[in-house]
Amino acid sequence: MAIAAFILCSSLRIIVESVKPVNLLLNLISLVGIFVLCFIAWLGSEHRRVIQWNVLIVGITLQLLVGILVFGVGSYLIDGINNIINPILDASEAGAKFLFGGPTSILAVDPVANPGPGPAGRWIARAVGDAYVAIPGDRLGPDTLNPGFSYVLAFRALPQIIFFAALVALLYRLNIIQPVVRVFAWVFKRTMNISGAEALSGAANIFVGIESAIAVKPFLPKMTRSELCAILTSCFGSIASSVLGLYAGFLRGSFPDIAGHLVSASILTIPACFVISKLLVPEIGEPETMGHVPDDVTEGNPENRPSPVDSLIIGALDGVKMAVGIAAVLIAILGVIALFNAPFNQIAVWIDGADVNPLLSEFLQQPLRNLMAMLFLPLTFLTGVALDWQNLWLASTLIGQRLFETNIPPYLALNGLSQSGAISDRSLLIVSYVLCGFAHFASYGIFVGGLSALVPERRSEISALGFKALWGATLATLMTGCVAGVFFGLLGEPTSIIGR
């Protein structure tokens, strides 16, 4: 720990000595925000007198060290990650273009030619390909496209989930991901002095979702309450590799280096989840795997494991289930929210005809979203996102929107706001980090239900921990945004961090 503290102090000295004129007040707010978020978590602790200082100090130190590596000393690392992931993102669209249209599709070899598919077919082909350009014979025009989407979500984004799920399954079968997971697990266990099972599950969460709990299934029945909370918080606070490409695809137009930063956010969030979860539910028992990292049980018997091709196909089929699930959740949740907003929208119409403050009418047009923005405003301020009202309110709206609407609408809206210049680069970076997590109600059933299915005898305890873990993951993702805010603009030009 002393060595880590020395490295951190030395790195901070280098940064401070080379700092350029930037708004250091915001960076300071972000730094202070890390500790205020920890204090907020401690206020909800089950045992306030028990504070695991090692987890707290080392967890924050690890985040700051990764922040220095990403935003300062190792800025070229982000470019390297992007050079790896961006071609994969491009490749992920090949199958969608083949199925739904595009330059290489057998359905529309020449998208500007009249012969071939009918008007609707040509519209779909170009909606999932390049930007829409009207051609003779079209009955659908540019106005029929949602201006908030650069493409049709169902035809361009959801197929990426299928591809990435298949790719991750293949990499797992080839034993490429497991060594990386074990390295992260060893670092977490060794530095933060947590149990091997929760360290392994947290490390696996960098790449997968609820499957991370399967990796430690034999130990779930005897896990302490603190371990269960840590595993659930890590599930809520991180994202799976299968959706990393989805989110990166949303923001590539306005944030060229987004893929590398999402990987960075995925790594940063796990120590943050451990810090917050151990403040909410401190360890008062004796974990079974304390002192060693257990084997990943998902690897199974080599003789019974599927072939690489089978793994690819199984992963793709799992991706289909995930894509259909995301589409179904979006349709259901956004529909219910629209139904909730409907009576308030009518009231807003009546108010418009009366001599009433127009702010009330504007609030009632999106009451749930604006209410969440109000509730998240103090927490958003702690990330150091901005001091001006417009950026602060927009950032709070996007972060609060995630709780009910999942990550997808906020990420799409963030891209539109950035391209229109309505939000600053600092806000773009911090909000993209904060949104990088499954901290929303839609994932509650997935993680709580999935973990309960693995250990049904502890279903009631897991359900009781569910909302506590969701709250902890929300604080952890905000802490990740704070880390991004601490280092934004300290070395080089701020736009270089974005990749422009």
Side-chain angles (χ1 to χ4, degrees):
M1 187 170 67
I3 297 176
F6 173 77
I7 296 174
L8 176 62
C9 292
S10 302
S11 302
L12 287 176
R13 179 182 177 184
I14 295 173
I15 291 176
V16 171
E17 290 178 350
S18 58
V19 68
K20 296 185 178 182
V22 294
N23 196 340
L24 292 179
L25 177 59
L26 288 174
N27 299 81
L28 180 60
I29 292 174
S30 298
L31 181 62
V32 173
I34 294 175
F35 300 98
V36 176
L37 290 171
C38 291
F39 176 73
I40 293 173
W42 174 80
L43 289 177
S45 174
E46 293 185 354
H47 305 280
R48 293 183 186 174
R49 294 185 179 182
V50 180
I51 300 178
Q52 295 177 255
W53 290 106
N54 187 73
V55 176
L56 181 64
I57 295 172
V58 175
I60 294 176
T61 302
L62 282 176
Q63 292 177 76
L64 294 177
L65 287 175
V66 174
I68 292 172
L69 179 64
V70 171
F71 296 100
V73 179
S75 57
Y76 292 105
L77 179 64
I78 293 295
D79 293 332
I81 295 174
N82 277 288
N83 291 335
I84 295 173
I85 296 181
N86 284 337
I88 298 176
L89 289 174
D90 294 335
S92 69
E93 295 188 351
K97 287 182 178 180
F98 178 81
L99 288 176
F100 304 118
T104 62
S105 172
I106 61 173
L107 298 179
V109 178
D110 184 0
V112 300
N114 287 330
R122 297 202 305 275
W123 175 80
I124 291 176
R126 281 171 289 111
V128 299
D130 298 327
Y132 182 89
V133 178
I135 63 173
D138 277 348
R139 297 171 186 170
L140 300 173
D143 293 337
T144 61
L145 288 172
N146 187 330
F149 290 70
S150 59
Y151 48 69
V152 177
L153 178 69
F155 295 122
R156 282 285 291 278
L158 296 185
Q160 287 184 332
I161 297 175
I162 300 173
F163 174 80
F164 271 85
L167 181 62
V168 171
L170 178 61
L171 293 177
Y172 252 98
R173 174 59 184 84
L174 297 177
N175 201 37
I176 294 175
I177 292 180
Q178 290 92 323
V180 180
V181 170
R182 294 194 66 82
V183 169
F184 278 109
W186 182 87
V187 170
F188 295 151
K189 177 196 71 66
R190 186 75 175 176
T191 58
M192 289 188 281
N193 195 32
I194 58 179
S195 73
E198 59 189 340
L200 178 61
S201 179
N205 263 303
I206 298 174
F207 301 96
V208 296
I210 189 60
E211 296 87 350
S212 62
I214 301 176
V216 293
K217 181 180 177 181
F219 309 98
L220 290 175
K222 296 182 180 180
M223 274 190 177
T224 65
R225 182 177 175 86
S226 180
E227 285 181 291
L228 289 176
C229 183
I231 289 176
L232 273 175
T233 304
S234 299
C235 287
F236 282 117
S238 60
I239 62 170
S241 299
S242 53
V243 296
L244 185 147
L246 176 68
Y247 300 152
F250 291 158
L251 288 171
R252 281 178 75 186
S254 58
F255 194 162
D257 282 354
I258 181 59
H261 283 287
L262 288 181
V263 173
S264 166
S266 299
I267 297 173
L268 281 170
T269 302
I270 302 303
C273 287
F274 285 133
V275 168
I276 298 297
S277 67
K278 294 303 179 182
L279 286 170
L280 289 171
V281 186
E283 185 62 81
I284 58 175
E286 185 63 32
E288 181 182 4
T289 58
M290 197 69 185
H292 71 281
V293 177
D295 294 330
D296 187 346
V297 300
T298 59
E299 295 182 20
N301 188 339
E303 297 180 357
N304 299 328
R305 295 170 66 185
S307 68
V309 175
D310 287 339
S311 297
L312 184 71
I313 294 173
I314 293 172
L317 295 177
D318 289 339
V320 170
K321 297 176 184 177
M322 187 182 302
V324 172
I326 290 174
V329 167
L330 285 174
I331 292 171
I333 290 180
L334 297 182
V336 169
I337 291 175
L339 187 63
F340 174 84
N341 289 338
F344 295 98
N345 295 157
Q346 186 58 49
I347 295 174
V349 173
W350 295 337
I351 290 176
D352 285 338
D355 187 16
V356 182
N357 191 328
L359 287 177
L360 179 59
S361 174
E362 184 177 345
F363 180 88
L364 292 175
Q365 290 175 8
Q366 290 287 348
L368 184 61
R369 187 175 299 177
N370 290 325
L371 179 61
M372 289 296 101
M374 292 173 60
L375 293 176
F376 275 86
L377 192 63
L379 296 175
T380 303
F381 174 77
L382 291 175
T383 64
V385 68
L387 292 176
D388 65 284
W389 176 253
Q390 176 179 331
N391 273 279
L392 183 58
W393 178 257
L394 289 175
S396 181
T397 301
L398 294 172
I399 294 172
Q401 186 180 357
R402 174 183 62 178
L403 185 61
F404 283 96
E405 301 182 31
T406 76
N407 314 57
I408 294 177
Y411 265 129
L412 287 168
L414 178 62
N415 179 61
L417 290 171
S418 177
Q419 289 187 335
S420 65
I423 199 168
S424 67
D425 285 345
R426 180 182 180 86
S427 299
L428 172 64
L429 177 75
I430 293 177
V431 173
S432 66
Y433 268 70
V434 175
L435 292 178
C436 189
F438 291 136
H440 47 71
F441 286 131
S443 62
Y444 180 88
I446 297 173
F447 295 129
V448 173
L451 191 59
S452 298
L454 294 175
V455 55
E457 62 270 25
R458 305 189 67 178
R459 184 183 303 274
S460 59
E461 186 176 9
I462 293 172
S463 298
L465 286 170
F467 285 109
K468 188 181 289 288
L470 178 58
W471 169 238
T474 301
L475 294 177
T477 55
L478 286 164
M479 186 183 292
T480 304
C482 287
V483 175
V486 168
F487 296 103
F488 180 83
L490 286 180
L491 287 176
E493 296 297 328
T495 52
S496 64
I497 297 176
I498 305 298
R500 298 197 190 104

